Amino acid sequence: LDGVWKPEYQEMGGQELPKEFLEKQSLAITNNIYVLTAESTDAGIITITDDKMDIYGEDGPNAGKHFMAIYKLEENKLTICYNLAGDAYPENFETKDKPMFFLSRFVKE
């Protein structure tokens, strides 16, 4: 998963986010360190076990937060479904009727 990833699609609570929202975003992963650039910059640690991620914010607006996520890597596309409540891993890649679930599909830069 190491590299710089640019989002090509995002949704939250079943609603697609506007494309212009994605233009300035990127996710850089090196070993188990991530840096997410969007309206601000978040950085921290990712631990990966099988198809699950635990994301621990250390710097930025999400410092001190723990997010749980699932991911899949298919044909150079990385899809991550986050539970922003941090209380359980998502069971699938669906966000409809789940206001705290955020899905992002990235392509490697």
Side-chain angles (χ1 to χ4, degrees):
L1 299 181
D2 282 8
V4 177
W5 299 87
K6 299 291 281 181
E8 66 173 12
Y9 175 83
Q10 291 180 331
E11 69 178 54
M12 187 164 186
Q15 299 295 314
E16 181 176 355
L17 299 179
K19 296 287 184 201
E20 56 270 12
F21 184 71
L22 313 177
E23 292 172 2
K24 296 181 180 178
Q25 292 186 32
S26 67
L27 172 64
I29 301 173
T30 306
N31 298 320
N32 65 334
I33 306 293
Y34 78 89
V35 176
L36 175 68
T37 303
E39 304 83 37
S40 58
T41 301
D42 281 319
I45 305 290
I46 294 177
T47 59
I48 298 171
T49 305
D50 300 321
D51 63 345
K52 294 177 174 58
M53 292 180 165
D54 286 281
I55 302 157
Y56 300 93
E58 294 188 337
D59 295 309
N62 291 313
K65 295 182 181 175
H66 170 222
F67 302 116
M68 300 171 87
I70 57 173
Y71 81 96
K72 61 184 175 182
L73 181 60
E74 299 174 326
E75 298 179 17
N76 214 32
K77 292 188 183 204
L78 173 63
T79 304
I80 304 174
C81 186
Y82 306 84
N83 176 357
L84 301 180
D87 56 2
Y89 295 103
E91 294 179 12
N92 55 44
F93 293 90
E94 299 293 325
T95 69
K96 187 175 182 193
D97 299 323
K98 298 173 185 170
M100 294 302 290
F101 280 35
F102 176 72
L103 180 120
S104 190
R105 185 174 60 237
F106 299 91
V107 292
K108 202 164 204 176
E109 192 171 70

